[in-house]
Amino acid sequence: MSRKTGVWILGAFGSVATCAVVGAEAVKAGRISRTGLVTDLADFAGCGLVDLDDLVFGGYDLRKTNYLESAREVDASAGILPERLVEAVRGPLLAASARVKTGCSLNCGATIEGFRSNGSLEAQRSLGDVVARMQEDLRAFRESNGLETVVVVNLASTEPAMDAVPQHATLEGVEGLLRTNARERVVASLLYAYAAIDAGFPFVNFTPSLGNSVGGILELARERRVPHCGKDGKTGETLVKTVLAPMFLARNLKLLAWEGHNLLGNRDGLVLRDPASNRAKVADKEDSFRKLVPDPDTHSRVRIDYVPSLGDWKTAWDFIHFQGFLDVRMVMQFIWQGCDSALAAPLVLDLVRLAELARRSGEAGPMPQTASFFKAPIGTDEQRFDRQFAVLQDYARAHAAPTAARREPSVSPA
Amino acid sequence: MSRKTGVWILGAFGSVATCAVVGAEAVKAGRISRTGLVTDLADFAGCGLVDLDDLVFGGYDLRKTNYLESAREVDASAGILPERLVEAVRGPLLAASARVKTGCSLNCGATIEGFRSNGSLEAQRSLGDVVARMQEDLRAFRESNGLETVVVVNLASTEPAMDAVPQHATLEGVEGLLRTNARERVVASLLYAYAAIDAGFPFVNFTPSLGNSVGGILELARERRVPHCGKDGKTGETLVKTVLAPMFLARNLKLLAWEGHNLLGNRDGLVLRDPASNRAKVADKEDSFRKLVPDPDTHSRVRIDYVPSLGDWKTAWDFIHFQGFLDVRMVMQFIWQGCDSALAAPLVLDLVRLAELARRSGEAGPMPQTASFFKAPIGTDEQRFDRQFAVLQDYARAHAAPTAARREPSVSPA
Amino acid sequence: MSRKTGVWILGAFGSVATCAVVGAEAVKAGRISRTGLVTDLADFAGCGLVDLDDLVFGGYDLRKTNYLESAREVDASAGILPERLVEAVRGPLLAASARVKTGCSLNCGATIEGFRSNGSLEAQRSLGDVVARMQEDLRAFRESNGLETVVVVNLASTEPAMDAVPQHATLEGVEGLLRTNARERVVASLLYAYAAIDAGFPFVNFTPSLGNSVGGILELARERRVPHCGKDGKTGETLVKTVLAPMFLARNLKLLAWEGHNLLGNRDGLVLRDPASNRAKVADKEDSFRKLVPDPDTHSRVRIDYVPSLGDWKTAWDFIHFQGFLDVRMVMQFIWQGCDSALAAPLVLDLVRLAELARRSGEAGPMPQTASFFKAPIGTDEQRFDRQFAVLQDYARAHAAPTAARREPSVSPA
Amino acid sequence: MSRKTGVWILGAFGSVATCAVVGAEAVKAGRISRTGLVTDLADFAGCGLVDLDDLVFGGYDLRKTNYLESAREVDASAGILPERLVEAVRGPLLAASARVKTGCSLNCGATIEGFRSNGSLEAQRSLGDVVARMQEDLRAFRESNGLETVVVVNLASTEPAMDAVPQHATLEGVEGLLRTNARERVVASLLYAYAAIDAGFPFVNFTPSLGNSVGGILELARERRVPHCGKDGKTGETLVKTVLAPMFLARNLKLLAWEGHNLLGNRDGLVLRDPASNRAKVADKEDSFRKLVPDPDTHSRVRIDYVPSLGDWKTAWDFIHFQGFLDVRMVMQFIWQGCDSALAAPLVLDLVRLAELARRSGEAGPMPQTASFFKAPIGTDEQRFDRQFAVLQDYARAHAAPTAARREPSVSPA
């Protein structure tokens, strides 16, 4: 049974998005394996997830380019999208490129705003108009491509951390900001999330940006009965942390210090040179760790440093100092050398499939079954990867049972 | 409620045993923290485990020495038992030393047999007499110390791998070997396990040696209704593997290669220079990995090399090559720098407490709740640490419920 | 031939100083080997260096304590000065402790000034009086111990980086600051260096502090014909850099990025939490690297982070990204796990021996033969360790020749 | 001034050779930088080295293929020769491919002999005929390409270690083996070296194979006045060792243990699965280390393990345990992730240029100026990279001086 599903990507020409789109097309064309797709595990066999063949890509970006060009950039930076592979899916890539429109850069920081052109969405007269335009674009995308639904996925660069805005905490507050055109108190991701969810489209926030994580949007999603999830994809160093830290605790070993030093060189890294964006990114990593290891005596630090020559390859070095029996001090270190985009891209496709399933199953609010995908999962404080993954497997099992009634979502927002 | 429990250690003056005994006495004396004791986690709060204060140590060794001397050796090798700490528990250490008798070195390999003296147990006329002597020693230990029960713990050096002996597979076979005095077909650990379990004493095998893992002993334990567990303590590199490998699988990442290179310098390392002992040790590590990662395309290798200057400190370097989406190849490496004895010692105390609880609860056969402690857990194929630990937590929960009837053991041998 | 030589240590109870004093006494007492003493290499056999037996220790500190106590602290932090060793040299340690007086903390940063007591030297009425008191103390040390000479060694905590003060560049300027009591423009290390050199005592600056590195003091040393050297001991990560970087250059490999992340936990680390002190420390490391690798395209970064649990053990991780033939990008990483004090202490003794030799040989000004000991060697821009060490070997050879005339120093200040 | 120089490669389609040939052509075509060419350093500016433009490639291989194909294989294994680059030099690659003839696999081990075809050189009636054919081929290569000289470079897979053959030690012995057709006592590399040098062609042995390193060939080179060098290119882990070990010694630090674990996956790695070839390879690494660190108390080990997925990328982990002052034990580790072929290829071109210069300068015998290129340099015991490189710089300086008389070679065989 075919169910055409739209994937509307914010930051559509970024490296994660490019890898997701090129990769999905290459899988469809049989040019690469399906390795890395979590939703291809046996657990999901009977869930009736939408197939990659049924995904149609479009979205927003600030740069005017296309997937052939962005793939060339990714390959120059990371060596992972060889010309031969890209050429093999040239047609679908050009078609997807044509579906990308100019997005919104409101309060996205100097680096991103540098890409802004006249056509940026925030040039609209009011915030209300910006939201309206977004919703028009989403509906037009759905209509003109004959899509059953559209999942909106935020893959745009990390927005700078904004001081707490009390109005964000309630739907009334958020709508007040829109109404009064309070441009200095909202960020692009918040507008995107509002627009998508208000119009009934599932929203996936793969970035550390605020988006759907604030109270007002949580409220909106409950009211509109729309599933959504986020935030901040867990692809590398933090993933490993959420696997290793529970091991130390299970052995009653005392964590003295955990230092995580991340080096990366892609556009994300460049954006992270801006202290406010860096703080936003580091914050999710640190919060994740603190939830895993609440002991205040444990010293911890996360650094993210820009090393241009690394391109899209991240190297993380973690130094773990721990104490065992006889109060003996010992050390574990790990070095993670991963290509961030290649790690993130399949998870994006997984989340689209899971959001589509949730939508179709009538589930609403945060999707705790996706906690294992995020550094700061909305709707749960569980940070331990094994527990998060068990929830996902349980969810898959429940949805795979052929006769299982599609129950009301067992999960409600925090 | 005090329940004096004996701990009869095979390899009583080895470094793990020395750390366990010195450490237990130092905890009793309030000189060190209880860090590293798994059974001190909150999960076990209501289980009524025997307290360290109620443990009485004794056992077998081939060397004639005492805990003051063996602690000095451990400190010279690893710097973890400072004189001041040892002196603070001098009295109990001398008392424990006096309870150590000369053990058995049958087919334990040239290095170990080099320690053999006239009084070694295998000097008895027949294997039956060896077993009888062991049982006499155990009963005398119990009587003269007023112990409720005795847990026998194998901490002796790794025995060389022996070619499969069909008789080991059945109790009848094992007893036939004893009866016919077939000395070349049995090893010390098998005699110890037979003697202990036949006499009704729980048996913990922390080493890779055969001991209680063969079919004949499993049968014996069922018949005599004695709980036992093993084998091969999971303290460092393998522990990490059983945590990390499931992460890669959960993300549908393809493991191309996993190389584990272990360096260590203590007496265990020396014994492992003997190729047959090395093979026995490596075998458990490799089997563990194969059960975790059954994909035959995954290249894997385990090396254990002797580096004398490291003493009791092990350094392991693991190189993990994996493939993700877009068929991109990435690398994770970790370096583990742990003191083996300090990691193993608290687990020994944990296992004694769990064996005593199982015995008292009327449970018999392998103890799958202890799988997380072992590289080659008897009675289960589960190698994933998180699943193993969840079983232990469930077990603790079941035994903690104040009104819970002590049910029949839910677990039966494989 | 005995030549009693005084070692007047600034920061006398710090961990490097404590290791140097305890270590020298332990060597004299035959309790430890002479490993780590560069001046014990065969190259120096005929140089007639002063023996450790002839060294007499004293100095300044802000804390009122003694070597038994400071050794206990070092052992608690690093586990390298066991009680038994310290007790074996208790007598000499108490004697040395009695020769330590209260020093000067002028502009040493909040952490250090926190140790200040009433007796601090800067409590003197004027800077001139401070210098006069220092010179009195040095002369009294020499007289009362019957010393041929005294070498002053700066081992005090890193002073905060001070904005450039033009007066430091000339002797006239420095003396003007003293005369006008311009307290906000001088730092303790400058006063120490002035006092020592003006009074004819060789000065060794093992820290990144200004001390003898400014033009005014260089001028003073030339005028007074006093040998001196510094600055900032090269003990670990930077040492390795100055060995590895030339290798890459010799192979015409292009260094794309060199990231050095240092973790340490001792009092130095604590002081380095102060951004200004951190900047001073990092600056020497960065300058050293830039002189080695002048290519402006090479990205580099040095971080020094405080990890309390590490105590006196430093862990440095260096990530080196380089490009070779076919423009292929490759990676080298190293991890250095060293005990800073144990690495620095023998170099301090070496420098005292070399300074005494230079003084006795009538040499004056910077000592370029000591460049291999420092991150920012005074009087030379050579950073390559092999070249620096070759200069030292040549120097030793020249001074070893029994009939060699003691030539005028071939080296003059920059 | 143009001087066309032939490069006759043994193992012409191997990965190092392919990278050297493709790389040289790509440099000529201006498609890649000259990074990695040691002879491009400023030191060599005035030496009049032959330019890459003047190199003409040919040689022997056992496989019948061509450089387009072998480049594709290298790219599949290592990702370093993208199609676009190779296509840009398609013409020269096909021309070079046409100059490759079927070589000799005598006693090259089962893996290599598996590539043998009917046309292999050893199919000749006698060893004398094999040598004669080789010399014919070399002369024909020179004549038909109008070359001033031909440098023969051994890049073939490592031959298995052969038990010492006394006849190898003298020219008389070697010629006796040829005369008596003693096929079981010679290896291909020996025949190649004999043929080349006897005919007056310089010989470069980049492999661990015997070739020109035995006494008989040394004698031959002296008699025929031919320069030659080797053996076993120093490209990665050993290079780093010969830089780091002298640092430890210069600081009088005691090396307790040095463990080097190498993983690699290319054809070389496959060949090294053969224990005898592995022994040959490891032997050079171990000898190199022992010459650097003669202290018999230093424990050392070298392992080379085959990890297929790594292709041409080698990962080496070295663990260095050392003792400093106060007898404190510390650790340094490094991880080298390099592409062996990309590291080796420019050195091959360098050695050709240096051999041509030596030939033209009338120098004969081993070329100690090339010691820094080899693990087991012929004609010197010096293993320290800095000293080796200083010799090379001195040599360059001597040959760069425009008016410098071209002196007799200062170097004679060991």
Side-chain angles (χ1 to χ4, degrees), chain D residues 108 196 237-238 256 332 348:
Chain D
C108 286
E237 190 226 9
T238 303
L256 301 168
M332 177 176 179
V348 168

Side-chain angles (χ1 to χ4, degrees), chain B residues 83-84 333 335 337, chain C residues 83-84 333 335 337:
Chain B
E83 192 178 348
R84 186 180 288 216
Q333 303 174 65
I335 296 168
Q337 296 169 295
Chain C
E83 192 177 349
R84 185 180 288 218
Q333 302 173 68
I335 296 167
Q337 296 168 297

Side-chain angles (χ1 to χ4, degrees), chain A residues 317 333 335, chain B residues 335, chain C residues 236-245 248 258-262 315-320 331-337, chain D residues 240 244 247 318 320 331-336:
Chain A
W317 170 65
Q333 302 173 69
I335 295 168
Chain B
I335 296 168
Chain C
E237 190 226 8
T238 303
L239 171 65
V240 178
K241 272 183 178 168
T242 61
V243 166
L244 283 180
F248 287 98
W258 194 307
E259 287 269 334
H261 291 239
N262 295 268
T315 296
W317 170 65
D318 274 47
F319 176 87
I320 306 159
V331 171
M332 177 175 179
Q333 302 173 68
F334 70 83
I335 296 167
W336 175 267
Q337 296 168 297
Chain D
V240 179
L244 283 180
M247 176 192 83
D318 274 47
I320 306 160
V331 171
M332 177 176 179
Q333 302 174 66
F334 71 83
I335 295 168
W336 176 266

Side-chain angles (χ1 to χ4, degrees), chain D residues 24-186:
Chain D
E25 299 301 342
V27 167
K28 293 182 199 177
R31 312 289 297 210
I32 58 169
S33 75
R34 301 174 69 98
T35 301
L37 283 166
V38 173
T39 47
D40 261 35
L41 290 174
D43 307 81
F44 297 91
C47 290
L49 293 170
V50 63
D51 198 69
L52 299 197
D53 283 328
D54 291 323
L55 300 185
V56 177
F57 297 96
Y60 285 130
D61 206 286
L62 295 167
R63 299 188 300 150
K64 294 189 195 312
T65 178
N66 63 56
Y67 282 112
L68 297 179
E69 189 48 43
S70 66
R72 254 191 295 276
E73 281 177 28
V74 169
D75 197 48
S77 155
I80 59 172
L81 295 178
E83 193 177 347
R84 184 178 290 219
L85 179 71
V86 175
E87 281 303 317
V89 292
R90 182 185 182 87
L93 293 185
L94 287 177
S97 303
R99 296 184 212 107
V100 177
K101 314 190 67 165
T102 303
C104 174
S105 68
L106 191 63
N107 294 321
C108 286
T111 311
I112 293 307
E113 288 164 16
F115 296 124
R116 186 162 48 188
S117 63
N118 284 336
S120 293
L121 279 173
E122 67 270 32
Q124 298 291 316
R125 208 172 34 91
S126 73
L127 292 179
D129 287 358
V130 173
V131 166
R133 253 295 281 290
M134 289 174 176
Q135 294 181 333
E136 272 169 48
D137 288 339
L138 284 167
R139 288 180 185 124
F141 176 53
R142 184 179 57 190
E143 305 315 321
S144 57
N145 292 282
L147 307 169
E148 302 254 334
T149 189
V150 173
V151 178
V152 179
V153 184
N154 185 14
L155 299 178
S157 290
T158 302
E159 295 166 351
M162 180 174 259
D163 287 338
V165 177
Q167 289 95 330
H168 289 178
T170 62
L171 179 54
E172 194 186 337
V174 169
E175 295 187 332
L177 293 172
L178 298 182
R179 222 168 24 242
T180 59
N181 203 25
R183 284 172 183 259
E184 71 289 353
R185 302 241 177 130
V186 297

Side-chain angles (χ1 to χ4, degrees), chain C residues 255-278:
Chain C
L255 287 164
L256 302 168
W258 194 307
E259 287 269 334
H261 291 239
N262 295 268
L263 311 178
L264 80 173
N266 57 13
R267 188 166 292 118
D268 269 10
L270 194 60
V271 170
L272 294 173
R273 296 178 78 179
D274 171 15
S277 294
N278 199 300

Side-chain angles (χ1 to χ4, degrees), chain B residues 288-320:
Chain B
S288 166
F289 184 76
R290 276 298 155 210
K291 281 178 186 146
L292 281 167
V293 184
D295 184 347
D297 288 349
T298 302
H299 164 92
S300 80
R301 180 183 284 115
V302 175
R303 287 200 178 279
I304 308 179
D305 284 324
Y306 180 58
V307 178
S309 60
L310 285 176
D312 202 45
W313 284 82
K314 180 198 281 171
T315 296
W317 170 64
D318 274 46
F319 177 87
I320 306 159

Side-chain angles (χ1 to χ4, degrees), chain A residues 12-29:
Chain A
F13 292 132
S15 58
V16 175
T18 299
C19 287
V21 174
V22 175
E25 298 301 342
V27 166
K28 294 182 197 177

